[in-house]
Amino acid sequence: EAGVTQFPSHSVIEKGQTVTLRCDPISGHDNLYWYRRVMGKEIKFLLHFVKESKQDESGMPNNRFLAERTGGTYSTLKVQPAELEDSGVYFCASSHSPDGAYEQYFGPGTRLTVT
Amino acid sequence: GQNIDQPTEMTATEGAIVQINCTYQTSGFNGLFWYQQHAGEAPTFLSYNVLDGLEEKGRFSSFLSRSKGYSYLLLKELQMKDSASYLCVTPSSSNTGKLIFGQGTTLQVKP
C-alpha cells in the first residue's frame, strides 16, 4: 500500500510569490489533514477534509491560504501571496476514520522557504 | 484549551533504557499517541493509549495515567537508529481527528 505522498519536497520562493503544495493521501482514506511546523515550534493543525468537504479549517492562519480537495482525492494548499512567516514544513496526513482513536498516516512534508 | 509538555532534548547510550515523559492538559480526553519522526521524514505511529496502564510493543512501551495527565514512552535496548524526535500527541476534544502536538523530544543515542 502506497503511503501519503507530498509534492514538492522542497520549495524556495520569494516573498509575494505564490506556491501550491500537493498531497496524495492513502487510497480510500476519506479524511485528509494539513499541518504545519514552523521553526522552533510544535506541529500545528491547519485544516481537515472529509472527502471533498472542509470539516474544520480553524487552524488556517489567514485568507492567504487556500486548500482544495476537488473530487475527494488529492488536495492542494495554495499560499498567495507568500510571506516570510509562512516558512516551515507542511505535512499532510490521512486516515480512514475521523475518530480520534485512529492513527493518522503522515507524508514526508514539504519544506517551504520564503525569502 | 489543550497543552502538551515534554522535554526538548535527551541523550542516552546504546543498549540502555530511556523514558520520555509527557504531561498534558485537555478539556476533554480522547487518548494519547506517541509518534516517532526521523529528521526530514514523516512522523510515524508508535502507540496509542486511552486507558490507564502500560502498553508494551516490542522494545517500546507507553504508559498513561489519566488522573495525572501524564504519559511516558519507554525505549529499551536502545539502538543508534532510535535517534529521532518523539512526539506526544493527543486528539482534540472536538473529536474530529484534529491532533494536538507537543514540541517533541529529540533523542540522541550515543555509542
Side-chain angles (χ1 to χ4, degrees):
Chain A
E1 176 183 84
V4 177
T5 58
Q6 294 186 244
F7 182 83
S9 57
H10 293 81
S11 179
V12 181
I13 61 172
E14 292 182 354
K15 176 183 173 181
Q17 291 186 320
T18 298
V19 64
T20 301
L21 314 181
R22 173 172 169 142
C23 168
D24 286 79
I26 291 173
S27 177
H29 281 191
D30 288 340
N31 295 275
L32 187 150
Y33 304 83
W34 283 99
Y35 295 89
R36 176 175 74 170
R37 185 171 200 164
V38 298
M39 188 175 292
K41 301 281 190 178
E42 69 275 19
I43 296 173
K44 286 193 172 178
F45 169 84
L46 295 178
L47 88 158
H48 170 205
F49 282 100
V50 177
K51 296 184 181 180
E52 68 276 7
S53 299
K54 292 176 186 175
Q55 183 78 8
D56 180 355
E57 50 185 328
S58 61
M60 294 287 264
N62 50 60
N63 59 10
R64 294 186 295 103
F65 289 75
L66 175 64
E68 295 180 321
R69 193 183 181 196
T70 307
T73 53
Y74 71 91
S75 174
T76 58
L77 179 65
K78 180 191 286 188
V79 185
Q80 178 182 32
E83 297 289 345
L84 298 178
E85 64 264 25
D86 301 333
S87 296
V89 182
Y90 290 76
F91 291 101
C92 175
S94 72
S95 71
H96 179 66
S97 168
D99 188 318
Y102 285 82
E103 65 179 284
Q104 293 179 18
Y105 296 83
F106 283 80
T110 293
R111 181 173 295 277
L112 174 65
T113 302
V114 183
T115 62
Chain B
Q2 297 183 262
N3 188 50
I4 297 176
D5 290 305
Q6 53 181 130
T8 305
E9 296 179 339
M10 297 184 72
T11 302
T13 305
E14 191 176 16
I17 298 173
V18 70
Q19 177 174 313
I20 303 174
N21 297 322
C22 169
T23 58
Y24 62 89
Q25 298 87 41
T26 59
S27 53
F29 184 69
N30 289 316
L32 192 130
F33 292 95
W34 284 94
Y35 277 79
Q36 180 191 58
Q37 185 180 21
H38 286 98
E41 298 183 8
T44 54
F45 170 84
L46 287 179
S47 67
Y48 174 71
N49 295 67
V50 66
L51 298 176
D52 289 352
L54 187 68
E55 297 271 348
E56 297 187 67
K57 189 186 295 185
R59 294 189 299 114
F60 293 5
S61 302
S62 57
F63 172 83
L64 176 68
S65 169
R66 290 173 295 173
S67 62
K68 295 182 179 179
Y70 168 67
S71 174
Y72 67 72
L73 180 69
L74 192 71
L75 292 77
K76 302 176 185 176
E77 301 169 18
L78 280 173
Q79 302 175 9
M80 298 300 290
K81 67 178 182 179
D82 297 331
S83 293
S85 181
Y86 291 86
L87 308 172
C88 181
V89 185
T90 186
S92 164
S93 54
S94 65
N95 205 28
T96 59
K98 167 184 175 180
L99 297 178
I100 310 297
F101 286 79
Q103 277 210 339
T105 299
T106 300
L107 173 66
Q108 185 179 15
V109 180
K110 295 186 174 180

